Amino acid sequence: MTTESRPPDPGPAHHDASPAPGTPVGHGDPTGTAPTDHPDPRVRMWAPVCQAVALLLGPYAEVVLHDAGTDRVLALWNPMGPRKPGDPSLLGELDALDPSAHDVYGPYEKLLADGRRLSSVSAVLRTADGEPSAVLCVNLDRTPLDRAAAVLAGFAAPTAPRPEPLFEQDWTERVQQIIGTFVRERGRPVERLGREDRLTVLAELDRAGVFAVRRAVPVVARELKASRSTVYALLADLKARKDSP
């Protein structure tokens, strides 16, 4: 690949204090503004993009600009490790991947030495002549996402079935459970149940012994959002169907 020559090593970029989110490491204004004084035109061109991504996703995303010709790091934002400008990029890992879009690879998974999982995406940046010039990589730390997913999964875990004797003690809850299950399976609210739907529900309630309880009809009518006379009429129709040969 024909690329620009590697710029002079800008010198050590390591500091004892961690840079603020969005601050490029080793280059430019320490306040995090675009390093317009950088000797490499690729860094000057792409720094605003890199910094915008770092500020949006920081402190959980590392943004790295690589030299596509020398396979060396040009600049970093929000570094997640000791890597610094001038270090090897190891871009050969992209050779084993199929592009997900034109000149874009990933998201793919990477693993840090401390066990953190990263979701990474890389984009090849080309010159006006179409030659690879630089590679922009975004590495997103999945740790907070994995923790949040674990919490949500805990809330969504299925509950143990309620013991049957408890239902027998509260027959009104049995009514709600049968009607609620039917509504979920049909995928429409109880107000939109048709006559045949209601007959099916009443048959299920009858098999559960609900109508053996005194004053069950008013409770069923309330849950079906129907009048008592409607429920009585449906029960009569249901009985007639059962009695017919």
Side-chain angles (χ1 to χ4, degrees), residues 129-215:
D129 298 329
E131 293 296 326
S133 173
V135 177
L136 171 62
C137 294
V138 180
N139 302 313
L140 180 66
D141 184 358
R142 294 186 53 85
T143 302
L145 300 177
D146 291 341
R147 289 173 180 169
V151 171
L152 293 175
F155 281 115
T159 57
R162 187 174 178 182
E164 197 66 20
L166 294 182
F167 278 112
E168 294 175 358
Q169 294 173 16
D170 189 353
W171 63 272
T172 59
E173 191 164 333
R174 164 72 81 165
V175 172
Q176 295 170 350
Q177 186 261 341
I178 291 175
I179 296 177
T181 300
F182 185 86
V183 166
R184 285 194 300 273
E185 291 175 349
R186 288 299 189 276
R188 54 179 176 268
V190 69
E191 298 91 338
R192 296 181 57 190
L193 296 181
R195 180 181 179 81
E196 291 302 320
D197 289 332
R198 289 179 173 180
L199 284 171
T200 302
V201 172
L202 292 178
E204 180 65 24
L205 292 170
D206 189 33
R207 285 191 292 269
V210 168
F211 294 112
V213 180
R214 291 182 59 189
R215 298 188 59 78

Side-chain angles (χ1 to χ4, degrees), residues 94-135:
L94 299 181
D95 295 338
L97 301 175
D98 293 324
S100 52
H102 179 62
D103 280 344
V104 176
Y105 296 84
Y108 52 94
E109 185 175 279
K110 297 174 70 173
L111 194 65
L112 295 181
D114 60 8
R116 283 181 293 170
R117 291 195 308 137
L118 306 178
S119 288
S120 301
V121 65
S122 300
V124 178
L125 309 177
R126 297 182 180 273
T127 65
D129 298 329
E131 293 296 326
S133 173
V135 177

